[in-house]
Amino acid sequence: MSGERYNPRESEPKWQKIWDERQSFVTANDDPREPYYVLEMFPYPSGRIHMGHVRNYAMGDVVARYHRAKGKNVLHPMGWDAFGLPAENAAIERKTHPGTWTYSNIEAMKKQLKSMGLSIDWTREIATCSPDYYRHQQAMFIDMLEAGLVTRKSSKVNWDPVDMTVLANEQVIDGKGWRSGAPVEQRELTQWFFKISDFAEDLLEALDGLTEWPEKVRTMQRNWIGRSEGLRLLFEMVPSDKTDTASIEVFTTRPDTIFGASFVGLSPDHRLTTELAEANPALAAFVAECHSHGTATETLEKAEKQGFDTGLRVKHPVIEGETLPVYVANFILMDYGTGAIFGCPAHDQRDLDLARKYGLLVKPVVLPQGEDPASFAVGTEAYTDAGTIFNSGFLDGLSIDEAKRQIADYFAARAVDNRPQGKVEVNYRLRDWGISRQRYWGCPIPVIHCEVCGTIPVPKKDLPVVLPEDVSFDKPGNALDHHPTWKHVACPQCGAPARRETDTMDTFVDSSWYFARFTAPQAETPTIPGVANRWLPVDQYIGGVEHAILHLLYSRFFTRAMKATGHVGMDEPFKGLFTQGMVTHETYKGEDGAWVPPTDVVLEATGDARTARHISTGAPIQIGSVEKMSKSKKNVVDPDEIVGSYGADTARWFMLSDSPPERDVQWTEAGVEGASRFQQRVWRLVHDVVAQGDNEGVSTSAEALAVRRATHRAADGVARDIEGLRFNRAVAQIYELTNALAKARDAGAADIVSAMREGVRTLIQLISPMMPHLAETCWQVLGESGLVADAPWPEVDPALLVDDEVTMPIQINGKRRAEIAVAKGMAPAEVEGRVLGLEPVQKALEGRTPKKIVVVPDRIVNIVV
RNA sequence: GCGGGCGUGGUGAAACUGGUAGACACAAGGGACUUAAAAUCCCUCGGCUAUGCCGUGCGGGUUCGAUUCCCGCCGCCCGCACCA
């Protein structure tokens, strides 16, 4: 028997079938055990899984299987993020319906995922493109609309000219569409928005409570929300025949520098700018110039500060009799603050650049410590650090913070335009989430536009608003809008002919609540609040860091919106978040400079030198850098091929070994071979131990005790490491136990049989979350009843975790010179006495008298001479 | 520019609250078994001018003791980037 080899190709489908038949991983909502919800980010059904999926789902499965073994009622579902543009592109290319393409991809990927042996409750599977799913999304949209969480407004939007759709700010990266990579244009469109900015403060503050999230993600969200505290301040206009505008409102975070103000700046998109430009062709040309640069170029940073003097002047708010020029400047954003600023060149680099260019006043009002107020001057670099206010009348001598407080009070008490001149205000960078997309393959926005009644929600009894099946993608743009009849509908209020909204929702809406739908995937309502509240928040969510802002911030908002509309009872969707690293691979290039896939490369190593040549031509191949697996660099490894040749367990094991899960892992052929070898070692070890028979008696020999200690230490350590998601260390501990057991087996002491039995049984249990198929097979070989998937996690005997003797290193002046074995917990004085008598210590001391002896019980002795 | 993270053998990495640096694995080298190979097993594996000395990016500091804490550099990665 042990001469044979373990055959995963035969074993793995067998166990998958058995788990299926026994419904081993189907979760009941009314199970009384403690609930535990583990979720990996659901995939887009592109058609094939990749190694990143294998790593992600292997990690989640370890967590799920471990908590099952710990007696929890584990929810571990899977679904499909199934709406989105690729399906429409495929429809155009293949002349198929997006749904046909999507569902066949789902079938293919589901088969692949099943071949991984994941402990998923497939009865809860959902696809966001199914009317069974999106009807509830439409119902919630209406609830949120009625609760005032949704708004429709006209605004400048990011328009992707390739995808012919609108993008949210979060989806524009370096001025380009996140999917198409095309330079984004600005267009004015009427859009539906979720009012995420209403939650800005809460979303920001609640980040502090997400202690099981990576600090990095929390920081990114903090920056994205971008809170800044400042003052809204009115500048009174010096009357002019150019405009009737009586004042300009600016936003500033540095009101303490008001005495250093030398101009007021307007955004090219400011209402006053637009008004003035109508009568001023030169200004209109300047604005047009700003726009031409504004969006297309990524070199905004380098763009020179440019201004246009409007000729208008405003009164200096604190210096009697002085006035300031009003400039339009290219660097002032319309959609932050009020679209207008006051410039204090001495203490703001952008203002300084403008001031130097147009010869405006540069007056320092913050004095750095140690500088002389008479001689301190600002050259080409603005001073933005701490200091004492000077040159500032009644603010002189104050700190920046104190000056901010006093000037805010000062302006609050004065009036301009019958309003307080100044008002403390908090601003956020976060803007409302525009969700309208001019696409067919998305969730229809359930509203009807009636010329009489206006824009009204579709009555809930008429939901879902289903996408029409008979669509054509012959024309670019929105196929839903092009459909001959779909949008024509009677107004549900007055019955007059009306028009359906033809925009669909951003697919990030779909993924903002799927985790809640999993808790009751067949419910007639979006959620069953009692059930959802029992499962949520997700205990452990695992996915890629690329979703740190978009998906995770939207989901946090949506959960709050669902709470406000009574669908769930909590604010936060994900209690624990883990972001795993990417899967990388070496790259290879042929002599012609073309990328060569790893399957065509033969690697050779002699000593430190590694060379490569082509598998069929034998031509030399250049070994390139290690990169994220990508089709363009041809350095992808197909999970199907790995599972087909080595088995799922090997792939899973390798994905979990070696590299810490949050870091990138490099896929190597050698690493896979190693994982596969280990699989065979375990299989042999189990058979060998079984061949030794079993005796019930517990031996107290030192050898048996050593085996039992190794076993219990591993069981304890692996549990801790899995709980801390340190899979690479859990793997190392399993190796250690395996080595210890193999050694004991080879030593062949007769009275350790039962200890060995316990050892391998425990080993199999420790392995089972990572290599579940091998574990089931070995479990059977061991003659255990039932499935290891149903077996409880091994009990750890705390008495076996502690040694009664410890080896303490002895240092002399911090350098290790000797060691001593003493009883655990020995008093420092006694240790000291023993140590000084040791021969190597005496020798190292060379007759010197110790100045001081530090004894840290059970750890170390340090003798200072 | 701002924010965050990371620098440890040939490689991926361990090292708990400051306490024996390199666990575990990969690669490499040597050996056993074999007609031979594969598989398997055993040994070596940070460096050096080796009874000892040096060594966790570099330079300082705190400490009996620093990969770990503090200060200053250097390098790499990620995120944000005219946000007033």
Side-chain angles (χ1 to χ4, degrees):
Chain A
M1 186 75 176
S2 58
E4 288 175 30
R5 290 172 64 75
Y6 174 66
N7 183 355
R9 265 169 303 192
E10 190 182 290
S11 157
E12 292 184 352
K14 184 181 91 185
W15 291 113
Q16 286 159 19
K17 192 158 164 262
I18 291 172
W19 293 327
D20 241 14
E21 284 165 1
R22 296 204 187 185
Q23 305 215 308
S24 290
F25 308 119
V26 173
T27 303
N29 280 340
D30 57 4
D31 191 310
R33 292 174 301 168
E34 188 189 340
Y36 189 91
Y37 189 177
V38 55
L39 185 66
E40 301 96 65
M41 290 180 183
F42 69 164
Y44 178 80
S46 59
R48 299 196 69 75
I49 64 168
H50 52 69
M51 278 300 167
H53 290 125
V54 173
R55 193 178 194 203
N56 192 184
Y57 298 132
M59 287 177 191
D61 203 42
V62 170
V63 174
R65 287 177 180 266
Y66 169 76
H67 284 283
R68 262 177 62 81
K70 290 291 271 187
K72 307 253 181 71
N73 184 33
V74 172
L75 178 57
H76 186 211
M78 181 60 71
W80 309 96
D81 190 12
F83 271 138
L85 203 48
E88 288 192 38
N89 293 335
I92 295 164
E93 281 168 32
R94 296 152 205 248
K95 303 269 178 220
T96 56
H97 189 269
T100 313
W101 182 82
T102 303
Y103 279 107
S104 81
N105 282 352
I106 287 175
E107 274 321 298
M109 283 177 80
K110 188 173 170 182
K111 198 169 156 239
Q112 288 186 301
L113 286 182
K114 285 204 162 187
S115 77
M116 281 183 65
L118 304 170
S119 64
I120 282 168
D121 180 356
W122 285 102
T123 67
R124 294 178 186 250
E125 180 182 2
I126 53 181
T128 58
C129 65
S130 158
D132 290 339
Y133 182 82
Y134 68 70
R135 61 184 290 198
H136 300 294
Q137 193 164 308
Q138 291 173 338
M140 284 195 292
F141 178 89
I142 291 166
D143 290 343
M144 290 173 190
L145 182 64
E146 282 164 359
L149 298 165
V150 178
T151 180
R152 189 163 184 261
K153 57 190 179 190
S154 172
S155 77
K156 270 229 164 69
V157 295
N158 306 299
W159 178 261
D160 186 319
V162 170
D163 283 351
M164 302 259 290
T165 189
V166 159
L167 299 175
N169 290 314
E170 291 84 347
Q171 294 162 0
V172 179
I173 294 146
D174 291 337
K176 293 175 182 150
W178 72 292
R179 185 174 277 285
S180 72
V184 168
E185 299 167 4
Q186 301 296 305
R187 283 198 185 178
E188 187 85 16
L189 277 179
T190 302
Q191 299 279 303
W192 289 98
F193 288 85
F194 278 123
K195 291 166 86 174
I196 190 171
S197 62
D198 284 4
F199 292 78
E201 187 64 40
D202 184 35
L203 288 168
L204 181 70
E205 273 180 12
L207 285 171
D208 293 335
L210 295 175
T211 53
E212 292 175 49
W213 279 41
E215 191 53 52
K216 175 184 166 138
V217 174
R218 293 197 284 171
T219 305
M220 284 167 71
Q221 292 212 353
R222 250 178 229 122
N223 292 342
W224 190 262
I225 294 167
R227 181 183 201 275
S228 62
E229 229 169 278
L231 195 70
R232 248 176 206 263
L233 180 60
L234 287 170
F235 280 79
E236 202 177 339
M237 197 76 83
V238 174
S240 154
D241 54 1
K242 290 176 187 157
T243 179
D244 295 332
T245 306
S247 66
I248 296 174
E249 190 172 35
V250 306
F251 177 72
T252 178
T253 57
R254 292 299 302 275
D256 54 300
T257 63
I258 189 68
F259 280 89
S262 66
F263 66 94
V264 160
L266 300 176
S267 162
D269 299 312
H270 195 275
R271 210 176 331 118
L272 183 55
T273 308
T274 311
E275 183 194 326
L276 295 171
E278 277 170 22
N280 185 342
L283 176 56
F286 176 77
V287 169
E289 162 82 9
C290 292
H291 285 158
S292 71
H293 284 294
T295 52
T297 51
E298 323 105 73
T299 51
L300 288 167
E301 163 77 4
K302 300 250 167 177
E304 201 184 342
K305 302 286 174 282
Q306 302 228 9
F308 185 97
D309 188 351
T310 61
L312 297 175
R313 295 194 78 87
V314 291
K315 292 182 185 164
H316 196 301
V318 283
I319 303 178
E320 199 62 42
E322 266 190 34
T323 63
L324 302 172
V326 177
Y327 273 74
V328 174
N330 61 345
F331 60 90
I332 302 169
L333 304 171
M334 189 55 223
D335 45 12
Y336 190 80
T338 62
I341 60 153
F342 82 77
C344 176
H347 306 292
D348 184 290
Q349 192 59 48
R350 296 156 300 181
D351 298 347
L352 184 63
D353 293 346
L354 193 83
R356 289 293 179 223
K357 186 164 169 137
Y358 299 102
L360 300 172
L361 177 72
V362 179
K363 173 182 162 192
V365 290
V366 178
L367 186 67
Q369 194 167 18
E371 287 283 348
D372 178 4
S375 64
F376 178 66
V378 167
T380 53
E381 215 162 294
Y383 181 75
T384 55
D385 293 334
T388 308
I389 305 293
F390 75 127
N391 286 342
S392 295
F394 62 89
L395 296 178
D396 278 355
L398 299 177
S399 69
I400 289 173
D401 283 345
E402 187 51 34
K404 281 180 180 173
R405 271 190 287 274
Q406 293 204 9
I407 199 72
D409 290 345
Y410 174 83
F411 284 127
R414 311 182 101 215
V416 167
D417 248 6
N418 297 318
R419 290 195 279 159
Q421 186 172 15
K423 188 169 169 287
V424 172
E425 192 182 76
V426 176
N427 253 299
Y428 300 92
R429 208 182 77 116
L430 180 70
R431 272 159 258 151
D432 282 338
W433 174 18
I435 59 153
S436 297
R437 297 290 179 274
Q438 293 68 41
R439 308 272 23 134
Y440 166 78
W441 195 233
C443 173
I445 295 173
V447 294
I448 289 167
H449 304 284
C450 170
E451 291 200 6
V452 183
C453 309
T455 300
I456 56 171
V458 172
K460 278 201 180 168
K461 65 175 173 55
D462 295 340
L463 294 182
V465 176
V466 182
L467 291 168
E469 285 292 316
D470 53 330
V471 276
S472 152
F473 295 94
D474 295 343
K475 279 189 282 184
N478 186 356
L480 207 48
D481 195 36
H482 301 155
H483 191 278
T485 56
W486 186 80
K487 66 183 167 191
H488 302 298
V489 65
C491 170
Q493 255 173 43
C494 70
R499 188 176 56 80
R500 275 194 197 286
E501 173 70 60
T502 55
D503 285 353
T504 52
M505 293 186 208
D506 180 3
T507 56
F508 277 103
V509 181
D510 312 341
S511 54
S512 291
W513 71 285
Y514 78 107
F515 47 86
R517 184 64 185 168
F518 276 138
T519 65
Q522 279 100 33
E524 282 303 309
T525 46
T527 65
I528 300 172
V531 172
N533 295 346
R534 187 169 140 77
W535 286 115
L536 293 170
V538 174
D539 292 282
Q540 187 63 61
Y541 194 39
I542 307 175
V545 73
E546 64 272 21
H547 294 109
I549 294 171
L550 298 169
H551 163 58
L552 291 169
L553 191 60
Y554 292 151
S555 296
R556 293 182 64 219
F557 157 73
F558 212 81
T559 303
R560 284 163 170 78
M562 285 173 79
K563 185 185 178 193
T565 48
H567 295 290
V568 295
M570 76 296 303
D571 286 327
E572 290 292 339
F574 312 119
K575 180 161 162 275
L577 173 70
F578 189 85
T579 53
Q580 102 265 6
M582 298 182 300
V583 182
T584 64
H585 196 287
E586 233 170 19
T587 51
Y588 307 103
K589 262 187 183 175
E591 283 173 306
D592 55 354
W595 300 104
V596 179
T599 42
D600 290 355
V601 176
V602 183
L603 292 166
E604 283 146 354
T606 37
D608 291 346
R610 288 176 74 236
T611 53
R613 57 186 175 78
H614 198 276
I615 193 165
S616 48
T617 65
I621 279 174
Q622 197 191 334
I623 300 175
S625 58
V626 175
E627 308 268 0
K628 178 184 179 178
M629 284 189 182
S630 77
K631 276 181 197 156
S632 63
K633 295 195 172 116
K634 293 210 176 138
N635 62 338
V636 288
V637 173
D638 182 15
D640 250 8
E641 282 175 27
I642 299 299
V643 171
S645 48
Y646 293 96
D649 282 344
T650 295
R652 293 168 58 127
W653 182 257
F654 178 50
M655 285 285 88
L656 297 165
S657 337
D658 288 349
S659 286
E662 68 278 9
R663 253 183 256 180
D664 290 354
V665 65
Q666 190 188 342
W667 183 274
T668 62
E669 194 64 19
V672 185
E673 296 279 359
S676 182
R677 273 201 300 274
F678 177 67
Q679 185 171 250
Q680 300 295 344
R681 275 185 73 198
V682 171
W683 161 261
R684 277 198 309 278
L685 178 64
V686 167
H687 280 84
D688 292 348
V689 169
V690 167
Q692 286 175 351
D694 195 2
N695 65 21
E696 296 298 313
V698 176
S699 170
T700 51
S701 74
E703 290 82 1
L705 194 60
V707 168
R708 298 203 66 212
R709 282 221 167 98
T711 301
H712 285 253
R713 237 195 333 263
D716 182 58
V718 170
R720 285 170 197 278
D721 285 337
I722 291 177
E723 280 174 29
L725 306 175
R726 295 178 294 264
F727 306 114
N728 56 321
R729 295 209 325 205
V731 164
Q733 299 216 47
I734 289 172
Y735 272 116
E736 235 164 321
L737 176 61
T738 310
N739 292 345
L741 293 173
K743 212 160 221 158
R745 168 199 62 190
D746 297 341
D751 61 347
I752 61 167
V753 173
S754 68
M756 288 296 288
R757 251 301 173 35
E758 181 194 34
V760 286
R761 197 194 319 116
T762 304
L763 174 67
I764 294 313
Q765 288 180 278
L766 303 188
I767 283 174
S768 68
M770 307 176 189
M771 297 204 280
H773 311 88
L774 173 71
E776 292 293 3
T777 304
C778 292
W779 196 246
Q780 202 176 36
V781 171
L782 284 166
E784 299 288 340
S785 61
L787 299 177
V788 70
D790 295 326
W793 192 255
E795 288 282 341
V796 174
D797 181 353
L800 290 170
L801 297 181
V802 289
D803 288 315
D804 35 14
E805 200 182 77
V806 290
T807 303
M808 294 172 71
I810 300 164
Q811 297 181 333
I812 290 169
N813 284 343
K815 292 203 161 56
R816 187 179 168 280
R817 297 293 171 181
E819 60 182 38
I820 185 173
V822 299
K824 195 177 169 65
M826 184 180 280
E830 196 180 339
V831 174
E832 202 177 307
R834 294 200 187 193
V835 163
L836 288 175
L838 290 174
E839 189 263 335
V841 173
Q842 285 301 329
K843 195 180 155 203
L845 283 178
E846 295 165 333
R848 292 171 295 182
T849 323
K851 224 183 274 174
K852 185 175 173 188
I853 301 178
V854 182
V855 179
V856 183
D858 298 338
R859 300 218 86 141
I860 203 165
V861 181
N862 195 6
I863 301 168
V864 189
V865 292

